[in-house]
Amino acid sequence: MLQRVASGQKGGGAMERRRIGGIPLKWIAGGLGVLLLLSGFLLIRDGLEILRFQEQRLLLASRQVLEVLAAQRMALLGFRKDQLLADGRVMARSPVVEMAVLPLLGGKPSPDSLHFLTRWLELRRRVFHHRGAVLLDAAGHPRLEVGGGVFPADRVAQVLARLRGGAEPRLVDLGGTPEESTVVLGIPLMREGMEAAPGGFVLYLLDPRQFLRGVLDPLPLPYAGGRVRLRFPLSPEERGTREEDRLVARADLPGFAWLVEVSVPRDEVLRPLREKVRLLLG
């Protein structure tokens, strides 16, 4: 019995004395374990760095797409603005204005003349889908209104203040929410050879549903949380804050108080990349 124990003790001592290049085997095994742990840590760290880099690239690319979409929507609004101003120039210099409208504004129109003016004003209002229109004489006094009494005196005065001294039509933004905006197309009616002295004015109140048609359509992106809206200029406090949960791009139209803002949730943008990472990690 004593001999077996001694023999066992002798064998265990031999195991402890095994060496590779003079280094105990258990030290080598422990070092390999540490190296494996360190390699795993470095692999995870590098993987997270790569993931963060890919996320930043994806967010940057998505923001650039949003900036293009915002610029496109605002360009559509700018095109519609230019189109309305061009229509206003055509109307202001129409032979009908010189031959019929201005003479009637200079005196007291007969019932037949009033009927003619009403049809002339209403026809263009309907063709361009404006909400209302008012015809003013050279002094700015309303002579005829169509569309339902949408021109209080204060609105008329604000628009005329922008039109005075000019011969070109103007789009005047009087504020209000985008859904109930107060944008007026003001058209000076010019006499031949008297560019600085309008013989009267036509004011058209735009229908925001027509003016903004296509601008607020859903984004052509696969994000359920994509959003397009019109906003007023940001306050200093708003400019210093960020929507951490959304990617946002904005564009403005000179002469208007609105900004077109397009945005998508950050989580929706990053979800496909994170799903691929989960699949790779099993």
Side-chain angles (χ1 to χ4, degrees):
M1 187 71 172
L2 291 173
Q3 290 177 352
R4 290 196 189 99
V5 171
S7 176
Q9 291 174 348
K10 183 177 180 180
M15 289 291 291
E16 292 177 357
R17 288 193 297 273
R18 289 181 184 174
R19 296 170 179 269
I20 298 177
I23 302 175
L25 184 61
K26 62 180 181 179
W27 289 14
I28 294 174
L32 289 174
V34 172
L35 287 175
L36 287 173
L37 288 174
L38 181 60
S39 299
F41 169 76
L42 293 176
L43 184 62
I44 292 173
R45 187 197 66 180
D46 292 344
L48 291 175
E49 287 294 329
I50 293 172
L51 177 60
R52 280 193 288 268
F53 176 72
Q54 293 296 335
E55 286 184 349
Q56 291 303 315
R57 287 187 60 186
L58 182 57
L59 291 174
L60 177 61
S62 299
R63 184 174 287 108
Q64 290 172 341
V65 170
L66 292 179
E67 289 171 354
V68 170
L69 289 172
Q72 287 178 341
R73 299 300 173 92
M74 192 53 80
L76 175 59
L77 200 55
F79 170 77
R80 199 159 289 144
K81 171 187 175 183
D82 293 341
Q83 192 177 42
L84 286 166
L85 292 176
D87 292 334
R89 293 186 191 99
V90 171
M91 180 180 181
R93 286 160 175 78
S94 168
V96 176
V97 171
E98 181 70 22
M99 295 169 60
V101 177
L102 292 180
L104 293 174
L105 285 177
K108 186 176 181 180
S110 66
D112 289 342
S113 300
L114 192 61
H115 178 69
F116 168 78
L117 288 175
T118 302
R119 288 187 60 189
W120 176 75
L121 201 60
E122 178 67 10
L123 176 62
R124 297 190 67 86
R125 185 188 77 83
R126 289 181 178 273
V127 167
F128 295 102
H129 307 287
H130 300 317
R131 291 173 59 192
V134 62
L135 180 64
L136 311 172
D137 61 21
H141 300 131
R143 300 295 296 273
L144 181 64
E145 189 169 337
V146 297
V150 292
F151 276 99
D154 59 337
R155 287 186 178 179
V156 172
Q158 289 180 61
V159 177
L160 288 180
R162 309 276 186 93
L163 294 176
R164 295 293 188 187
E168 289 293 313
R170 292 191 63 178
L171 278 177
V172 181
D173 180 9
L174 298 179
T177 65
E179 294 77 15
E180 287 296 330
S181 61
T182 307
V183 178
V184 176
L185 173 61
I187 306 172
L189 303 179
M190 308 306 298
R191 302 180 193 275
E192 187 67 28
M194 298 180 66
E195 292 293 322
F201 304 89
V202 173
L203 309 183
Y204 284 109
L205 181 66
L206 274 57
D207 185 342
R209 294 170 300 177
Q210 294 295 326
F211 187 56
L212 302 175
R213 189 176 68 254
V215 176
L216 301 180
D217 287 353
L219 293 174
L221 295 174
Y223 303 126
R227 185 173 68 195
V228 186
R229 61 178 179 170
L230 289 178
R231 297 192 61 182
F232 290 103
L234 304 180
S235 66
E237 294 77 14
E238 288 179 306
R239 291 193 192 99
T241 61
R242 296 175 56 190
E243 293 189 61
E244 297 295 338
D245 60 335
R246 301 187 72 85
L247 288 179
V248 180
R250 301 183 180 96
D252 61 354
L253 180 66
F256 284 81
W258 307 331
L259 299 169
V260 170
E261 177 184 278
V262 297
S263 65
V264 294
R266 291 169 60 95
D267 287 344
E268 287 195 53
V269 174
L270 297 175
R271 187 177 299 146
L273 178 61
R274 290 173 176 173
E275 288 294 333
K276 289 181 181 180
V277 172
R278 289 192 188 96
L279 289 174
L280 290 174
L281 295 177

